[in-house]
Amino acid sequence: MADGTMNHGSATPGPVVSNRNAGPGQLLKSERLPKTLWLPNTAKAYRIHYGSTSHDGRRIAVSGAVFIPRGNAPKAGWPVVSWAHGTVGVADVCANSRSGRSQRDTEFLQSWLAAGYAIVATDYEGLGTHGEHAYLNGNSEAYGVIDIVRAAQQLHEPLSEAWLSVGQSQGAQATLFTGATVRRYAPELDYRGSVGTAPTTQWRLTASVAKPFDPETPANPSVLLILAGLRTTHPDFDPAGYLTPFGQQLLAAAMDTTCFTAIAQQLAGRPSTDVFAVDAAEEARLLDLLESDAEIPIVRHSDPVFLGQGTADLTSYPPATALTAEKLRAVGNDVTFKFYQGADHGGVMAAAKADILAWAADRMR
């Protein structure tokens, strides 16, 4: 659930771009990305707005960034990685194309640019654009990941039609929804596969171990964002009844100005009961809603999958990731799954990077 990125750069939202008539993947606006937000190994970078599809099927505008690598493009153009980021928050100021990226993400992404990939990086529905962020709604995330690939092709840069989705934590969940969705949603695209590290998955199993509402469990900031996301995707869901007065104050701040890292700092050392007031029936309802929105679909993908999981991860439950990989294999998918000994939730990205780049190179041949 949690990803804990540290943001840098400008956190000032730009003007709202909204076009309810925009088709999925239609480029609505492009501008040069400020150099303070560039990744290393970038030759050119853009902030874009593009048409996409909301969690409930509406046409919406989504923002994101595009990074073109240094050097001369191959004859077929730069292969494309559609990057799906981990948890940053639900307020507009948390959008990566405005606030920047963590050092961990920067180091990971610059390796893709150095290897000759262009990167397109969605902010997801409702982060930096009109509306609210549908946190952990897998369909919404997948649409954002796919449609930015379509939009980037309209920038007149030398981009290949071949692309992969790559993501961490929330973003790994997004890439698996992408793999399950892309052939139906965007059959014209040359998709080559899905890469995820530390995905959020198997919610009932994870909750049974994490016990997020136990009085002795530390307050988890991701649960606060989950409540915010469910309020967005289920209008009849009122998170106030699941929160203490302090929790309600935190939720209001999270919806407006406070990103994940700051929320986590405010909750450090506090028990869950300082923030949440959830009984067994309410927890069951939360899990039902989460499964409907966020559980990775166990369906046949037309393209291969790579999953990496650290054994020391205290956020994404390692046996849950292994179980999802096993279930995806059981329905006929080509799944490469690897444990990385001693890697924690964020550290798995560096631990798996060499394997992922080699796997990706094979997919692009």
Side-chain angles (χ1 to χ4, degrees):
M1 288 180 281
D3 199 47
T5 56
M6 295 293 291
N7 295 329
H8 55 86
S10 170
T12 303
V16 170
V17 174
S18 178
N19 187 341
R20 293 181 180 179
N21 296 316
Q26 179 181 340
L27 183 64
L28 301 175
K29 178 184 177 182
S30 66
E31 59 187 354
R32 294 289 183 176
L33 190 71
K35 280 209 169 183
T36 55
L37 300 178
W38 283 28
L39 297 167
N41 300 317
T42 294
K44 285 189 283 186
Y46 302 86
R47 180 187 293 124
I48 68 172
H49 290 74
Y50 59 96
S52 192
T53 305
S54 75
H55 64 91
D56 57 3
R58 291 174 293 110
R59 290 187 173 185
I60 56 171
V62 176
S63 61
V66 177
F67 301 91
I68 307 300
R70 296 172 182 166
N72 297 317
K75 184 177 180 180
W78 301 111
V80 174
V81 162
S82 190
W83 168 246
H85 66 73
T87 299
V88 295
V90 296
D92 282 340
V93 295
C94 309
N96 280 162
S97 73
R98 296 280 171 185
S99 64
R101 301 173 198 278
S102 67
Q103 185 62 32
R104 182 204 66 192
D105 286 7
T106 296
E107 291 174 357
F108 184 74
L109 294 174
Q110 72 176 351
S111 298
W112 288 96
L113 288 161
Y117 293 84
I119 294 172
V120 299
T122 183
D123 290 326
Y124 303 136
E125 175 183 354
L127 276 178
T129 46
H130 181 74
E132 296 179 347
H133 177 39
Y135 180 61
L136 291 180
N137 183 278
N139 288 326
S140 167
E141 294 165 349
Y143 300 148
V145 168
I146 295 166
D147 284 327
I148 196 171
V149 176
R150 289 166 153 166
Q153 297 288 349
Q154 298 160 51
L155 289 172
H156 306 294
E157 293 289 348
L159 300 180
S160 169
E161 294 184 355
W163 68 287
L164 298 162
S165 64
V166 181
Q168 154 72 7
S169 191
Q170 176 189 5
Q173 177 224 18
T175 66
L176 291 171
F177 268 88
T178 297
T181 302
V182 62
R183 294 300 180 187
R184 168 184 58 80
Y185 185 72
E188 80 281 5
L189 296 181
D190 183 10
Y191 189 61
R192 299 296 181 89
S194 312
V195 177
T197 51
T200 50
T201 185
Q202 304 300 329
W203 289 100
R204 291 186 187 279
L205 173 60
T206 298
S208 71
V209 175
K211 296 180 171 50
F213 306 116
D214 190 292
E216 296 183 3
T217 300
N220 187 331
S222 294
V223 177
L224 195 73
L225 301 185
I226 287 171
L227 294 174
L230 292 177
R231 189 186 80 163
T232 298
T233 57
H234 299 272
D236 61 340
F237 176 77
D238 181 6
Y242 294 72
L243 295 165
T244 65
F246 174 63
Q248 292 178 35
Q249 293 175 9
L250 278 181
L251 179 63
M255 297 292 294
D256 187 29
T257 59
T258 308
C259 298
F260 177 85
T261 300
I263 297 170
Q265 290 170 346
Q266 291 183 54
L267 293 184
R270 287 181 174 267
S272 66
T273 48
D274 278 5
V275 183
F276 307 111
V278 178
D279 62 25
E282 290 168 333
E283 182 175 3
R285 187 182 181 215
L286 284 178
L287 287 170
D288 286 343
L289 294 175
L290 263 175
E291 283 192 327
S292 69
D293 279 13
E295 187 57 71
I296 292 165
I298 305 302
V299 297
R300 182 72 180 270
H301 296 211
S302 57
D303 307 279
V305 174
F306 181 103
L307 287 176
Q309 176 64 54
T311 60
D313 193 332
L314 299 179
T315 300
S316 295
Y317 185 45
T321 306
L323 179 59
T324 290
E326 179 184 326
K327 288 185 173 186
L328 286 169
R329 278 201 196 106
V331 296
N333 288 297
D334 176 359
V335 178
T336 300
F337 173 69
K338 293 190 176 183
F339 271 128
Y340 292 89
Q341 294 298 320
D344 63 12
H345 189 63
V348 69
M349 294 171 67
K353 184 169 64 177
D355 289 337
I356 290 171
L357 287 169
W359 184 92
D362 286 343
R363 303 287 79 72
M364 289 299 178
R365 288 195 182 104

